[in-house]
Amino acid sequence: MNPVVVRNVAIGEGIPKICVPIVGKTREEILEAAKNILPIGADVVEWRVDWFEGVFDFAQVEDVLKDLRPALGNTPILFTFRTSKEGGEKAIEPAAYVELNKKAAATGLVDLVEV
């Protein structure tokens, strides 16, 4: 099997990769978590956007991503909205879920989108 390379991380070769979630409710909490993750050497950071209080206003989501991307440098970002049915923090209609994920992917600020 060929590895999948995301930024500088080869998934599928070597030891298992470590993915650390960010579950902040505010922009400030999210960016503070990013600063704390970098020193521990996570391979991938998952932004659990379902925790974010501004998740239903995409302009706010994009504003956070514009700061999160440089805060994490070359560490891959996995963008995840886990629905309440999946054990996440919020319910979301299917059309809004699709739109959120497509818009996040289109920014070029995330590397992976969990669906």
Side-chain angles (χ1 to χ4, degrees):
M1 176 165 84
N2 293 330
V4 174
V5 179
V6 181
R7 292 191 179 259
N8 59 347
V9 177
I11 300 168
E13 76 176 16
I15 63 172
K17 306 311 180 237
I18 304 296
C19 181
V20 178
I22 292 177
V23 293
K25 293 182 180 185
T26 67
R27 179 183 170 281
E28 293 75 21
E29 290 175 0
I30 293 161
L31 295 176
E32 184 63 28
K35 287 183 209 172
N36 293 328
I37 287 172
L38 281 182
I40 65 172
D43 297 302
V44 177
V45 172
E46 177 186 31
W47 181 23
R48 283 285 307 277
V49 72
D50 53 297
W51 284 74
F52 178 47
E53 64 189 12
V55 67
F56 297 118
D57 176 0
F58 190 75
Q60 289 186 52
V61 172
E62 189 171 26
D63 283 345
V64 172
L65 284 171
K66 286 178 181 176
D67 290 331
L68 187 59
R69 172 76 279 155
L72 291 172
N74 205 34
T75 303
I77 298 174
L78 169 62
F79 183 88
T80 302
F81 186 108
R82 184 146 312 134
T83 68
S84 57
K85 289 180 182 178
E86 300 169 316
E89 289 298 298
K90 294 177 179 65
I92 189 170
E93 293 298 319
Y97 177 79
V98 169
E99 182 180 8
L100 174 66
N101 286 316
K102 283 184 173 182
K103 283 182 173 181
T107 67
L109 298 168
V110 301
D111 302 291
L112 303 159
V113 177
E114 182 183 330
V115 178

